[in-house]
Amino acid sequence: MNTGFSFPSDFIWGTATASFQVEGAAREDGRKPSIWDTFCREPGRVAYGHTGDVATDQYHRFQEDVDLMHELGAHSYRFSVAWPRVIPEGSGAINPKGLDYYHRLVDALLEKGIEPAVTLYHWDLPQPLQDAGGWPHRETALHFENYARTVFDGLSDRVGRWITINEPWCVTLLSHLLGRHAPGMQDKSAAYRAIHHVNLAHGIALRVFREGGYSGEIGTTLNLTTPRPATTREEDALAADRAADRDSRMFLDPLLGKGYPERHLAAHPDVELPVENGDMELIAGKIDFLGINYYNEQVVKFDPEAAEQFTSVPSFYPETAMEWPIVPEGLYRQLHWVAAQTNGLPLYVTENGCACDDVMTRDGSRVHDPDRIDYLRKHFRVLARAIEDGVPLKGYYLWSLIDNFEWSFGYTRRFGIIFCDYADQRRVPKDSYYYYREVIAGNEPV
Ligand code: IFM
């Protein structure tokens, strides 16, 4: 069905991946272990003990993936640089061979007219920095400075869009409080120290970028939680608002110069944020855009017993293979929630997509994934509505280009629009790849 809507002619359609999830080549050309290499080897952390050792082998097969992106008509590819490839010990010596890989990838993309959009940090912290204390430790944020400068120096002549940190919520709370991601800690104090240091690392990279006079735009990517109230009752609306304090405002407010949310900190007097003079100014440095990663929406209701008086309730929507409810309207609400606070700041959806239980046809030539197409179509329609409303949305990066290592789920969840046959690394475009190709070609939500 044609909706009669066209996206702006300069709207960016892209796909996204991250280093640890696709590269493989874990011990090649001087790369050293990251916290995820370690975590994968700890019993019970990752499904079936899967590792990132080979992943989708993009390190060796990037040309094939670039060709597939070209055939897709993608305008941009969002990928991340692996810190342990470029500065294997986290600090100290640069590994030119590691950086060379990204030179080759960037050149291959540009050759096909695809803009690189580079994330500096998508979770693969060099293990030596973890051994020295990791994100709860201020030094880690300080080491990010040299790493960021090295990558900017190496690639900024050809990269026009930079993202400092992917999903600080996952880097901090999921990894240091809930223990589900590397380094697998469950320590509240460490988690909040990590929050401040990850925010600080963003601010430091921003300063390096501005002071270095590099060209291009720079921003960051948040996975916000903007819960929907279970009912129209005022107490549920307040509960939903409070539920955004920790998971959204602890990351968004400092970027916007509002500091950390007092209401949340007042409810957690045991928490101390290791803020030093000048930190908040750095964190609030001007960004050129904000990236939003959206997958689902939570529903909450008032709960007088809970510390912050809210509790999550089921949402009763169909779910993806991640058991995440499919709520496109939640993306619409979230874009408006952000736009209302960011005063015309350009926004990108830097990730959106879904995991499905995909299988190849018997002859191995196709993968039919109607559920993913349905998911995407519904999300494209809300993007269109948000733009019509005036939300300054500039682009969309589909997660993911290709099936990959889905963190603690290993290879058991498939997010790609290209199927990866892990037995032989064969790439098979799924039906959703061909659907996305039509959307890009027509620049409309078909
Ligand atoms: O695979 C992840 C990605 O690394 C970060 N955002 C969410 C995706 C799906 O879980």
Side-chain angles (χ1 to χ4, degrees):
M1 187 185 87
N2 192 307
T3 57
F5 173 88
S6 276
F7 285 90
S9 56
D10 56 355
F11 193 78
I12 301 290
W13 292 106
T15 61
T17 63
S19 47
F20 192 82
Q21 295 179 270
V22 297
E23 285 179 0
R27 281 176 278 276
E28 260 176 75
D29 293 334
R31 181 192 179 278
K32 291 266 180 79
S34 75
I35 53 174
W36 270 94
D37 296 283
T38 307
F39 195 65
C40 289
R41 284 165 176 80
E42 291 174 12
R45 297 295 204 178
V46 173
Y48 302 103
H50 288 165
T51 71
D53 287 2
V54 180
T56 71
D57 197 27
Q58 193 171 80
Y59 193 79
H60 299 110
R61 294 168 198 260
F62 68 87
Q63 188 60 56
E64 190 180 347
D65 290 347
V66 170
D67 290 344
L68 282 163
M69 278 184 257
H70 179 60
E71 283 161 36
L72 178 67
H75 307 153
S76 182
Y77 179 42
R78 174 175 175 235
F79 63 91
S80 75
V81 171
W83 190 345
R85 243 184 236 298
V86 173
I87 303 185
E89 300 292 333
S91 62
I94 297 168
N95 173 32
K97 279 190 172 172
L99 206 49
D100 277 355
Y101 166 66
Y102 299 105
H103 284 300
R104 294 196 294 278
L105 175 58
V106 164
D107 288 345
L109 288 165
L110 293 175
E111 172 88 8
K112 296 286 185 187
I114 301 168
E115 291 175 8
V118 178
T119 307
L120 289 176
Y121 184 74
H122 198 127
W123 311 352
D124 35 8
L125 187 73
Q127 184 61 40
L129 294 187
Q130 183 60 39
D131 297 340
W135 286 112
H137 190 66
R138 190 175 175 91
E139 288 296 308
T140 301
L142 303 184
H143 290 310
F144 197 64
E145 171 163 359
N146 194 34
Y147 165 62
R149 184 176 293 111
T150 305
V151 180
F152 293 148
D153 280 348
L155 304 178
S156 71
D157 58 335
R158 284 153 298 145
V159 171
R161 188 166 304 122
W162 294 94
I163 290 157
T164 53
I165 304 220
N166 183 70
E167 300 180 353
W169 180 87
C170 294
V171 181
T172 58
L173 294 163
L174 188 61
S175 309
H176 295 80
L177 180 68
L178 304 175
R180 294 212 295 270
H181 276 192
M185 290 167 68
Q186 289 178 283
D187 177 335
K188 186 174 176 186
S189 158
Y192 279 80
R193 280 184 281 126
I195 289 179
H196 181 64
H197 295 141
V198 168
N199 288 340
L200 180 62
H202 157 78
I204 288 174
L206 205 57
R207 180 184 59 191
V208 170
F209 190 79
R210 299 294 182 215
E211 290 182 358
Y214 303 102
S215 60
E217 54 181 41
I218 186 163
T220 192
T221 275
L222 304 180
N223 57 325
L224 297 166
T225 300
T226 46
R228 179 162 51 87
T231 71
T232 52
R233 279 198 289 271
E234 205 175 310
E235 65 208 34
D236 287 338
L238 180 61
D241 190 56
R242 290 201 70 164
D245 282 355
R246 184 191 73 175
D247 294 347
S248 294
R249 294 193 178 95
M250 285 297 288
F251 306 98
L252 180 61
D253 283 8
L255 292 181
L256 304 180
K258 298 192 215 166
Y260 289 110
E262 283 301 330
R263 179 174 61 179
H264 176 66
L265 297 180
H268 297 272
D270 53 327
V271 156
E272 266 183 59
L273 292 166
V275 179
E276 295 191 9
N277 273 345
D279 287 1
M280 300 314 285
E281 289 74 15
L282 272 186
I283 297 170
K286 180 188 168 303
I287 45 176
D288 300 313
F289 65 87
L290 181 65
I292 291 171
N293 291 357
Y294 176 85
Y295 290 91
N296 56 17
E297 185 184 58
Q298 289 174 19
V299 184
V300 301
K301 69 168 191 191
F302 175 64
D303 177 356
E305 307 295 315
E308 288 174 85
Q309 303 198 319
F310 69 84
T311 196
S312 293
V313 295
S315 82
F316 304 114
Y317 276 81
E319 293 179 342
T320 70
M322 293 294 281
E323 299 179 4
W324 292 348
I326 302 169
V327 196
E329 283 296 314
L331 173 57
Y332 179 76
R333 285 188 275 270
Q334 187 169 105
L335 285 168
H336 271 286
W337 188 81
V338 173
Q341 303 175 67
T342 47
N343 205 15
L345 182 71
L347 305 177
Y348 288 89
V349 171
T350 35
E351 284 182 28
N352 171 245
C354 71
C356 299
D357 295 323
D358 302 315
V359 285
M360 281 189 291
T361 51
R362 263 197 211 111
D363 66 359
S365 67
R366 296 294 294 263
V367 176
H368 300 306
D369 57 345
D371 292 346
R372 180 173 291 104
I373 293 173
D374 189 54
Y375 178 101
L376 293 173
R377 177 179 284 126
K378 287 177 175 150
H379 285 78
F380 294 154
R381 293 203 171 147
V382 305
L383 298 184
R385 274 175 49 215
I387 291 172
E388 279 184 317
D389 296 346
V391 170
L393 182 68
K394 304 300 177 194
Y396 173 91
Y397 289 86
L398 196 159
W399 187 273
S400 180
L401 172 70
I402 184 165
D403 296 335
N404 57 57
F405 176 83
E406 179 52 26
W407 306 112
S408 57
F409 295 89
Y411 297 98
T412 66
R413 298 293 186 277
R414 293 181 177 271
F415 273 90
I417 54 170
I418 298 172
F419 187 91
C420 181
D421 185 348
Y422 294 113
D424 57 8
Q425 296 292 344
R426 197 162 62 91
R427 274 77 167 131
V428 181
K430 303 179 190 177
D431 287 356
S432 56
Y433 170 97
Y434 298 105
Y435 162 71
Y436 193 38
R437 190 169 70 173
E438 273 186 33
V439 170
I440 298 174
N443 204 25
E444 56 184 351
V446 287

